[in-house]
Amino acid sequence: MSCLKTDAALSFDTVSDFRIHEVELSLPQGDEILVEMKAVGICHTDLVARAMSPAGTPAVLGHEGAGVVAAVGADVHDVAVGDCVLISFASCGLCDSCAAGSPAYCTRFAEANVSGRRLDGSATLRHGAEVVFGSFFGQSSFARHAVTARRNAVVVAPGSDLVEMASFGCGVQTGAGAILDILRPDPTSRVIVYGLGGVGMAAVMAASYLGARQIVGVDMSPSRLETALEVGATHVLDGGDPEIANAVDELTDGGPTHAFDTTGNPAVIRGAARSLRRGGTLVVVGTGPADVSVDVQDLIAGGKTVRGCIEGDADPQVMIPRLVRLHQEGHLPMHHIVHRFDFGDINDAVSSAVSGASIKPVLTFSTGQ
Ligand SMILES: [Zn+2]
Ligand SMILES: [Zn+2]
């Protein structure tokens, strides 16, 4: 394969730091584009994936890439070199879900996003003689360059703030999408958001945009509670409070109408369902243990709904331009949650995400290298 040499942050196992090495990246084929990265967000899923990768297998993670198109494959005609793009998750474009405009439920989602290879089974990355786990979420953007299918990239205006917008491709799309398209609170609604990382904060921002009557943020970190108030929460509660259930009930005058869980914590999810007002809905997106118990009799008696979603149910080609408009209008105040780190400081960025010091670390790439 014809290749480009570039630098990528390789992870080798679950415990070691990322190490930046020169790798060989395939040039874009057919429907692919090559993107020179300007910014990439670090998402919880990157850390989960690192923890799951088989020992000794080098991997390039990263799935909130934003950059400038550096080359296009022979079949790409609607994107040109120099265009700014945000890269989102990958989908096949051919299955029933993709055809129906729901690429988040692509029947080949796992193959397209977490198999380590392209959908046709070929690898995009090598490190010396070794094949690297690549094509993570169709991109592997913890690198100076990434190849991705044209359909995973959304073109944005030249001069866009790619650092603030990098996480629109995953975290923000997930949190804002769940509020805007699934829960859809209105000015009579009482919304509660459990877990105030990047996804939870995006949900708070979107609920504030829709003018929900009450927006309650719950987290164990005092600094995150403070930030939630800056981005639109009307109230905050300490998630570590053993009396949290009573506090929620009192604050929301009988329970929230809409709840959103990003923690994946079984006790939090159970409590979130239980606390809902009659007819209320809980959406869960946090990945934790697969088995979680909820009180089904309470769901029945209260006519409550619990449902999951991935990537906010979104079609990135529709959702990302919408998020860009909201951002321009000031409804997504990302500067409150984005923390910039140089690509070379990826391990500091990860530590800061793990410790909770940073809400949304974004790696930036200095030019000319
Ligand atoms: Zn599909
Ligand atoms: Zn993500």
Side-chain angles (χ1 to χ4, degrees), residues 43 45 63-64 170:
C43 179
T45 306
H63 65 286
E64 291 185 343
C170 182

PDB file of all heavy atoms in Angstrom, residues 43 45 63-64 170, ligand 2:
ATOM      1  N   CYS A  43     -12.254  11.261  24.813  1.00  0.00           N
ATOM      2  CA  CYS A  43     -13.586  10.849  25.264  1.00  0.00           C
ATOM      3  C   CYS A  43     -13.399   9.643  26.185  1.00  0.00           C
ATOM      4  O   CYS A  43     -12.428   8.898  26.067  1.00  0.00           O
ATOM      5  CB  CYS A  43     -14.397  10.484  24.025  1.00  0.00           C
ATOM      6  SG  CYS A  43     -16.069   9.910  24.300  1.00  0.00           S
ATOM      7  N   THR A  45     -14.703   6.895  26.112  1.00  0.00           N
ATOM      8  CA  THR A  45     -14.624   5.655  25.328  1.00  0.00           C
ATOM      9  C   THR A  45     -13.184   5.318  24.927  1.00  0.00           C
ATOM     10  O   THR A  45     -12.826   4.145  24.806  1.00  0.00           O
ATOM     11  CB  THR A  45     -15.508   5.777  24.073  1.00  0.00           C
ATOM     12  OG1 THR A  45     -16.823   6.150  24.506  1.00  0.00           O
ATOM     13  CG2 THR A  45     -15.598   4.469  23.312  1.00  0.00           C
ATOM     14  N   HIS A  63     -11.267   9.495  18.658  1.00  0.00           N
ATOM     15  CA  HIS A  63     -12.446   9.450  17.777  1.00  0.00           C
ATOM     16  C   HIS A  63     -13.261  10.735  17.808  1.00  0.00           C
ATOM     17  O   HIS A  63     -14.451  10.732  17.551  1.00  0.00           O
ATOM     18  CB  HIS A  63     -13.306   8.236  18.141  1.00  0.00           C
ATOM     19  CG  HIS A  63     -13.910   8.305  19.502  1.00  0.00           C
ATOM     20  ND1 HIS A  63     -13.191   8.123  20.645  1.00  0.00           N
ATOM     21  CD2 HIS A  63     -15.170   8.558  19.906  1.00  0.00           C
ATOM     22  CE1 HIS A  63     -13.971   8.257  21.685  1.00  0.00           C
ATOM     23  NE2 HIS A  63     -15.194   8.533  21.271  1.00  0.00           N
ATOM     24  N   GLU A  64     -12.580  11.845  18.150  1.00  0.00           N
ATOM     25  CA  GLU A  64     -13.237  13.154  18.049  1.00  0.00           C
ATOM     26  C   GLU A  64     -12.311  14.073  17.260  1.00  0.00           C
ATOM     27  O   GLU A  64     -11.942  15.149  17.706  1.00  0.00           O
ATOM     28  CB  GLU A  64     -13.511  13.736  19.440  1.00  0.00           C
ATOM     29  CG  GLU A  64     -14.580  12.966  20.208  1.00  0.00           C
ATOM     30  CD  GLU A  64     -14.959  13.596  21.557  1.00  0.00           C
ATOM     31  OE1 GLU A  64     -14.191  14.442  22.068  1.00  0.00           O
ATOM     32  OE2 GLU A  64     -16.021  13.235  22.086  1.00  0.00           O
ATOM     33  N   CYS A 170     -18.610  13.286  18.752  1.00  0.00           N
ATOM     34  CA  CYS A 170     -19.020  12.174  19.633  1.00  0.00           C
ATOM     35  C   CYS A 170     -19.678  12.682  20.902  1.00  0.00           C
ATOM     36  O   CYS A 170     -20.885  12.592  21.063  1.00  0.00           O
ATOM     37  CB  CYS A 170     -17.861  11.238  19.958  1.00  0.00           C
ATOM     38  SG  CYS A 170     -18.408   9.863  21.001  1.00  0.00           S
TER      39      CYS A 170
HETATM   40 ZN    ZN B   2     -16.838   9.176  22.344  1.00  0.00          ZN
END
